[in-house]
Amino acid sequence: MSATTPETPTKLQLMELLAAIGTAQWRDFAAAAAHHGLTSTQAKVLAQLNSPLPMRALATLLVCDASNVTGIIDRLEARSLVRREPDPADRRVKNVVATDEGRDVIRRVREEMQATSGALDTLDAEESATLHTLLARLRPGMEKNA
């Protein structure tokens, strides 16, 4: 192979790189969340609430038992970051909805992710577009089994 032709990485190398980046991003997210008095799991819940979600769906997203979600939501609700609402289609189901304050807090958490932001700042516009395209292609396959 010539010096100008990059070696094709193996799937294992790609997976290890994705894991390292994911771990670093999660660490950055957790640190920013802690700055706002949130656990990383509480912040993850807020980040998922782009629209109302049933408690059971949150348990699935968090890969935990529904009883764990109750405690998480209780703590977020005590801080007025979320509220529970009956589902209009089935009043037995409780949806979790982010409040304006909750949406503001998660926006600030994301803005304060300095390590992630700094790493992305090293990319030029073309590289950012390429990375976005590649990650968008990978996302459906990775979320399919989640």
Side-chain angles (χ1 to χ4, degrees):
M1 194 167 268
S2 76
T4 58
T5 306
E7 184 177 324
T8 302
T10 65
K11 283 184 184 180
L12 179 59
Q13 289 171 319
L14 291 171
M15 288 170 37
E16 287 174 351
L17 187 55
L18 282 170
I21 290 169
T23 298
Q25 188 271 344
W26 182 250
R27 212 173 21 247
D28 195 22
F29 182 75
H35 182 254
H36 292 277
L38 297 170
T39 66
S40 53
T41 303
Q42 290 170 335
K44 185 176 181 181
V45 166
L46 286 174
Q48 300 296 320
L49 294 176
N50 298 319
S51 60
L53 281 177
M55 299 276 283
R56 186 161 307 284
L58 282 172
T60 300
L61 286 170
L62 296 174
V63 191
C64 70
D65 190 74
S67 63
N68 293 342
V69 173
T70 300
I72 295 165
I73 299 306
D74 286 346
R75 288 184 285 285
L76 289 171
E77 196 170 38
R79 291 187 52 191
S80 300
L81 300 177
V82 301
R83 67 179 179 276
R84 291 176 174 98
E85 295 179 348
D87 187 296
D90 184 349
R91 300 197 57 78
R92 296 170 297 175
V93 174
K94 294 295 182 199
N95 286 330
V96 180
V97 179
T99 63
D100 289 342
E101 186 177 349
R103 283 188 290 279
D104 184 55
V105 166
I106 197 60
R107 179 191 54 76
R108 285 185 279 142
V109 165
R110 288 176 172 143
E111 287 174 353
E112 292 173 17
M113 294 175 63
Q114 298 304 311
T116 304
S117 181
L120 292 171
D121 285 343
T122 66
L123 302 176
D124 63 29
E126 184 179 339
E127 291 168 329
S128 290
T130 299
L131 179 61
H132 184 272
T133 299
L134 293 172
L135 292 174
R137 277 181 46 199
L138 289 176
R139 186 177 185 174
M142 295 187 77
E143 288 181 339
K144 170 176 61 174
N145 297 322

